[in-house]
Amino acid sequence: MIRGNGRVVVVHVEMAAQIGRMESMLLSQIDYWLERSGHFVDGHFWVYNTLDEWARQLGVSGSAIKRAAQSLEKQGLILRRHLARAPYDRTLSYTICYERLREMGFSAGRRSLSARELADPWDRPFTAVCGVDEGEGGADKWVI
C-alpha cells in the first residue's frame, strides 16, 4: 500500500470517460463534502467553497474548477446557488443531482441515506427539483 501525508483525489474512470476527468474529480469532491454536510435547504444538502478552495483541494487552477462546474451544471449533474444572506457574499453553494447520475448508470446518493427506507422525510434526497427548463432557451438549462 502506498502511504503519504498528501491529499488523495478520487477519480471514477468510467465517469471521467462519460462526463470529463476534471468534472469527475470535482463531482467526487462535492460528493465527499455532501456526505459530511448538515446544511439542508430547499430539499437538498449543500456544501460551499470558493473556487480557490476547491482548486486547492484538487490541486488545480481556479479557472479549471470554474470550467468543470459550468460543465457539470450544463450536464444537469450539479446545482449551484448563492445561499448566503449577505448580498456582498458571492460564495456559491453546490449540490449534486443524484437522480441524474443514476439515470447515467451510476450508483449515487448520500451513502448514509436510502431514499426508500428513511423514516424522516427531511433526510430524503429531493430529486424532483432537478430538471430541464423547456422554456425559451430550449432544453439546455437545468433548474431547481
Side-chain angles (χ1 to χ4, degrees):
M1 173 180 258
I2 300 172
R3 296 176 194 249
N5 295 330
R7 296 178 303 254
V8 176
V9 176
V10 176
V11 177
H12 298 278
V13 177
E14 295 84 12
M15 187 182 301
Q18 211 169 341
I19 68 171
R21 184 178 54 90
M22 187 66 236
E23 290 85 347
S24 177
M25 288 172 51
L26 180 57
L27 198 64
S28 292
Q29 193 68 8
I30 294 170
D31 182 56
Y32 170 84
W33 287 114
L34 283 172
E35 278 294 313
R36 288 143 184 83
S37 175
H39 188 62
F40 191 78
V41 177
D42 294 338
H44 293 282
F45 287 94
W46 296 84
V47 295
Y48 58 90
N49 270 313
T50 63
L51 287 178
D52 290 338
E53 183 57 29
W54 289 119
R56 186 192 65 73
Q57 290 177 26
L58 295 174
V60 298
S61 69
S63 59
I65 295 294
K66 186 175 182 177
R67 285 190 304 272
Q70 288 170 339
S71 174
L72 287 169
E73 192 171 38
K74 187 174 183 177
Q75 294 179 63
L77 292 168
I78 66 170
L79 299 173
R80 297 186 296 170
R81 289 184 41 200
H82 293 281
L83 296 178
R85 296 182 195 271
Y88 58 84
D89 187 347
R90 304 302 299 160
T91 303
L92 284 170
S93 293
Y94 300 78
T95 193
I96 296 176
C97 291
Y98 289 110
E99 181 64 30
R100 175 76 174 115
L101 274 174
R102 288 189 289 273
E103 289 171 3
M104 295 173 73
F106 298 103
S107 175
R110 285 175 53 116
R111 284 181 286 278
S112 60
L113 302 175
S114 171
R116 304 215 191 311
E117 299 172 7
L118 292 170
D120 184 356
W122 291 105
D123 268 347
R124 287 194 178 104
F126 189 65
T127 56
V129 298
C130 297
V132 177
D133 179 6
E134 301 286 349
E136 278 184 40
D140 62 345
K141 182 179 177 187
W142 283 77
V143 296
I144 299 177

